[in-house]
Amino acid sequence: MLSEELAAVRCDLEDFAAEMFEPFARADQRRWGGVYLRGLLLDGGRKSVEPMAARLGEDGNRQALAHFVTSSPWDAAHVRARLAWRMQPVIKPTALVIDDTGFLKDGDASACVTRQYTGTAGKVTNCQAGVSLHLASNGSSAAVNWRLFMPGSWDPASPKADPVKVARRDKCAIPAQVGPRKRTESTRSAKIWHMA
């Protein structure tokens, strides 16, 4: 989305952000949640904090955005539930779609990055793998829940643990109680459940 396009819908987007982030305890969290949402929508290849901050102009406080993304305590489950309830009457879903997607990565500093197969590239490569749930109809869809797959190499209790990746858990703020989950056949390719 270009800056001019974003400016044209900014009031609607701010109303949407206020609705989604209403449960946040602090006003600054709600504010930076809205700024982060605008940053995600703006055109640009990388959606990490530094390039987004540069594209956001006067709202592009890199430090505040980084704090919101990495350190600000809020429950993503509440935001996802609000999103699902908000999108249901808009999408009028006739199907639920579960899909796994690879997010190609050049480096290995992002959470859960490892060499693994991804259909995104059609080969084994350095990537994150995420599983998402979408409400879908003939004309539209919306992702309403998602999780990163944690490979065994990131789990200190796994026989496949990689000491370098295990050490990165702290830098990525992965809670100790989070462990790996298997990518089952049901999520290796899109699964669609049609709703009655």
Side-chain angles (χ1 to χ4, degrees), residues 8 10 20 30 34 68 70 79 91 95-96 124 126 134 137 148 153 160 163 195:
R10 185 160 178 167
M20 292 300 107
R30 292 187 293 276
F68 173 76
T70 62
V79 175
I91 302 292
L96 297 175
V124 173
N126 215 36
H134 304 255
S137 65
L148 277 180
S153 59
K160 296 180 181 180
M195 301 169 75

Side-chain angles (χ1 to χ4, degrees), residues 48-153:
S48 55
V49 168
E50 195 161 325
M52 279 190 347
R55 289 190 291 269
L56 283 163
E58 65 185 36
D59 280 335
N61 182 324
R62 190 199 63 75
Q63 185 175 355
L65 279 172
H67 175 75
F68 173 76
V69 171
T70 62
S71 306
S72 183
W74 52 276
D75 188 351
H78 291 292
V79 175
R80 291 173 182 163
R82 291 176 83 83
L83 178 63
W85 283 109
R86 175 73 164 77
M87 296 313 298
Q88 193 278 333
V90 174
I91 302 292
K92 297 182 178 122
T94 55
L96 297 175
V97 178
I98 297 176
D99 193 17
D100 82 352
T101 302
F103 306 100
L104 304 179
K105 297 291 180 177
D106 289 330
D108 55 5
S110 298
C112 303
V113 171
T114 196
R115 288 190 55 76
Q116 58 191 322
Y117 177 80
T118 174
T120 304
K123 62 182 180 178
V124 173
T125 189
N126 215 36
C127 68
Q128 294 169 311
V131 178
S132 55
L133 171 68
H134 304 255
L135 301 178
S137 65
N138 285 339
S140 57
S141 70
V144 295
N145 206 345
W146 49 90
R147 286 214 185 341
L148 277 180
F149 161 71
M150 179 183 285
S153 59

Side-chain angles (χ1 to χ4, degrees), residues 13-33:
L13 185 60
E14 286 175 355
D15 290 344
F16 176 78
E19 182 182 344
M20 292 300 107
F21 304 136
E22 187 271 329
F24 289 4
R26 299 189 330 256
D28 66 311
Q29 289 175 306
R30 292 187 293 276
R31 178 183 188 277
W32 289 107

